[in-house]
Amino acid sequence: MKQILFLLMMTLVFSAKAEERWAEIITKSEMKRCPRVCYTDSKSKLKWSYTGGLKVGAMLDVYEATKDEEIEKYVMQYADSFITADGNIVSYKLTEYNIDMINSGKCLFQFYRLTGDERFRKALYLLRSQLDTHPRNDDGGFWHKKIYPNQVWLDGVYMATPFLAEYTATFDAENKAAYADVVNQILMAARHNYDLKTGLFRHACDVSRQMGWADPETGQSQHCWGRALGWYMMAIVDALPFIPQETEGRDSVLVILQTIAKGVDKYKDKKTGLWYQVMDEPHRKGNYLESSCSAMFIYSLLKAVRLGYLPKKYKTLAQRSYQSFVEHFIYWSIEQTADGSTENLANIGSCCAVAGLSKDRPGTFDYYINEKKQDNDPKVVGPFIKASLEMTY
């Protein structure tokens, strides 16, 4: 029965532009599965976090491509739930200095462009003000969190850097120091996290060399975690369009992007063109093909080629990987929706729910491969939607 349903849905998908249809299908399935998008991270209370904005931003892209009013209504509930009339953000606390909290600000640029509502500009300013006082290392790199002092995570570069770049280009275009800061965040992370042995970038670095997961000489964590490198690559392709050509160090950012692309190509699974949870040990027993990093790499490669940052050969790689993604990670299931009806919804599987580094999270190979998997996680839904839209160019 499942095979029949799959074939029927595939007929529907390929009757239109396949990739654009996938963006819409995943969006509409999520709308049915989670009717209140403001509760993406919590079923009972509002929680401002990076994942909600990641998913909503991707859905806003679908709305802008399709002008589907149902999608517009759905994503606006996120804005109306979190952004108050005076521009404050429900549940956000600046003084926690958590770099993750900046990320959802990126979708506020989209809301501001679409509505012109001043509350979004005020909320953007509030998030921007966090970066003025956010704790930094001696080389200017943002701490990942106030409770994680001296730590540079690849994840964190994505959370703050594209936001800072877009804010500067939108509201403060003459601020050369801000553009220099954007470039420095990317270069700083490369200096701390690059692995000479593999040509990849490790998940994080403790500059103080104090954490148990940190190498006593380099401060680096033990492995290149796929999603961390995916965050870093997306950070670069999303920030670069806003950085003026003449900004010092921009050419070095392009070199880093090219280095990541070479590593992504080298460490892909040769059979599927997809990527592993632990990038630097792809064939080790227990490792698995992971969907969120695969979606992030596909999106980043496609966008980088479209904007002229990478040669066209990487588009061919990404297109093949995209088709493998659909084949390996997407499945259909009959589910009961909030209104009590049953529908056939699209799902994305094999996504690592979360992986971090702390006293109890040592960053070993066994740690990464044994972390919980979660289907339809925003961290794969958002990047896959964006990758699907990039496939239409």
Side-chain angles (χ1 to χ4, degrees):
M1 183 64 180
K2 287 185 177 180
Q3 288 181 328
I4 295 172
L5 288 170
F6 178 77
L7 290 172
L8 287 172
M9 292 307 296
M10 288 302 289
T11 300
L12 171 63
V13 168
F14 287 103
S15 65
K17 180 74 173 176
E19 296 81 12
E20 186 174 313
R21 288 289 295 139
W22 274 123
E24 292 182 68
I25 288 169
I26 294 297
T27 296
K28 292 295 181 70
S29 291
E30 280 296 292
M31 290 166 62
K32 293 289 186 179
R33 186 176 291 113
C34 179
R36 296 295 305 278
V37 70
C38 53
Y39 293 124
T40 290
D41 288 304
S42 173
K43 294 181 179 179
S44 59
K45 62 180 181 180
L46 295 176
K47 181 181 178 183
W48 179 260
S49 75
Y50 69 96
T51 55
L54 178 67
K55 185 166 82 170
V56 167
M59 291 180 172
L60 278 165
D61 291 341
V62 178
Y63 166 69
E64 293 195 64
T66 64
K67 302 304 178 186
D68 186 317
E69 293 182 358
E70 186 181 2
I71 297 174
E72 180 187 29
K73 182 179 178 180
Y74 181 74
V75 293
M76 279 305 302
Q77 63 167 277
Y78 183 84
D80 292 337
S81 298
F82 279 105
I83 310 304
T84 65
D86 58 359
N88 282 316
I89 302 170
V90 174
S91 83
Y92 166 71
K93 296 180 180 179
L94 184 154
T95 53
E96 288 183 350
Y97 290 114
N98 181 345
I99 208 73
D100 288 344
M101 297 303 104
I102 301 297
N103 182 65
S104 288
K106 286 181 281 191
C107 72
L108 301 185
F109 292 109
Q110 293 168 283
F111 283 123
Y112 184 57
R113 288 196 303 270
L114 288 170
T115 67
D117 192 328
E118 281 295 294
R119 63 181 167 136
F120 298 123
R121 185 187 61 78
K122 293 175 182 177
L124 286 163
Y125 178 80
L126 173 62
L127 292 169
R128 173 65 180 87
S129 68
Q130 176 182 322
L131 300 181
D132 289 333
T133 54
H134 194 96
R136 297 175 182 243
N137 291 317
D138 290 342
D139 59 6
F142 292 125
W143 290 5
H144 191 62
K145 299 179 183 180
K146 184 179 179 180
I147 61 172
Y148 293 162
N150 308 300
Q151 296 178 29
V152 177
W153 295 25
L154 296 182
D155 318 31
V157 182
Y158 177 79
M159 301 304 159
T161 303
F163 173 89
L164 178 57
E166 187 168 1
Y167 186 94
T168 305
T170 305
F171 299 113
D172 197 15
E174 300 304 314
N175 190 342
K176 294 182 180 180
Y179 290 124
D181 198 7
V182 170
V183 169
N184 183 56
Q185 297 305 319
I186 297 168
L187 301 185
M188 170 277 308
R191 288 194 301 270
H192 287 304
N193 294 2
Y194 183 65
D195 181 1
L196 281 168
K197 182 179 178 181
T198 64
L200 297 170
F201 295 81
R202 297 197 182 185
H203 187 174
C205 177
D206 173 18
V207 177
S208 68
R209 278 77 164 155
Q210 298 298 307
M211 296 302 297
W213 53 259
D215 183 278
E217 293 186 11
T218 67
Q220 292 181 348
S221 58
Q222 294 185 38
H223 291 286
C224 172
W225 176 40
R227 186 156 73 228
L229 188 59
W231 289 128
Y232 190 42
M233 194 176 195
M234 288 202 303
I236 294 173
V237 299
D238 286 353
L240 270 171
F242 300 106
I243 304 172
Q245 294 278 347
E246 67 275 11
T247 303
E248 185 177 355
R250 189 179 187 275
D251 54 347
S252 297
V253 171
L254 286 168
V255 171
I256 292 170
L257 177 61
Q258 292 157 8
T259 300
I260 296 172
K262 289 177 183 177
V264 164
D265 188 10
K266 178 180 178 181
Y267 284 89
K268 70 180 183 295
D269 176 59
K270 298 300 187 291
K271 182 178 179 180
T272 64
L274 299 171
W275 290 272
Y276 285 88
Q277 166 77 339
V278 182
M279 287 275 292
D280 50 10
E281 298 205 41
H283 304 299
R284 187 168 170 180
K285 185 178 179 180
N287 209 351
Y288 64 92
L289 296 174
E290 201 276 332
S291 59
S292 69
C293 72
S294 295
M296 291 174 177
F297 293 142
I298 294 166
Y299 163 72
S300 298
L301 290 169
L302 289 169
K303 185 173 182 178
V305 173
R306 175 171 64 84
L307 297 178
Y309 305 146
L310 291 176
K312 292 182 179 179
K313 67 177 183 178
Y314 287 108
K315 182 175 183 178
T316 302
L317 164 61
Q319 288 172 329
R320 181 204 169 202
S321 300
Y322 181 89
Q323 299 304 331
S324 288
F325 186 103
V326 172
E327 190 178 322
H328 284 78
F329 295 137
I330 293 182
Y331 67 96
W332 299 85
S333 62
I334 303 295
E335 300 179 33
Q336 186 170 12
T337 60
D339 62 7
S341 62
T342 56
E343 294 198 35
N344 193 29
L345 303 181
N347 301 265
I348 307 177
S350 199
C351 177
C352 174
V354 66
L357 295 160
S358 63
K359 181 180 178 180
D360 301 318
R361 300 186 292 178
T364 61
F365 178 85
D366 287 342
Y367 163 74
Y368 284 117
I369 66 167
N370 287 300
E371 279 293 81
K372 177 184 175 182
K373 298 177 189 176
Q374 179 169 294
D375 292 1
N376 307 310
D377 192 290
K379 296 181 285 295
V380 66
V381 168
F384 176 71
I385 289 172
K386 285 178 170 290
S388 297
L389 294 175
E390 281 294 332
M391 283 284 288
T392 67
Y393 288 108

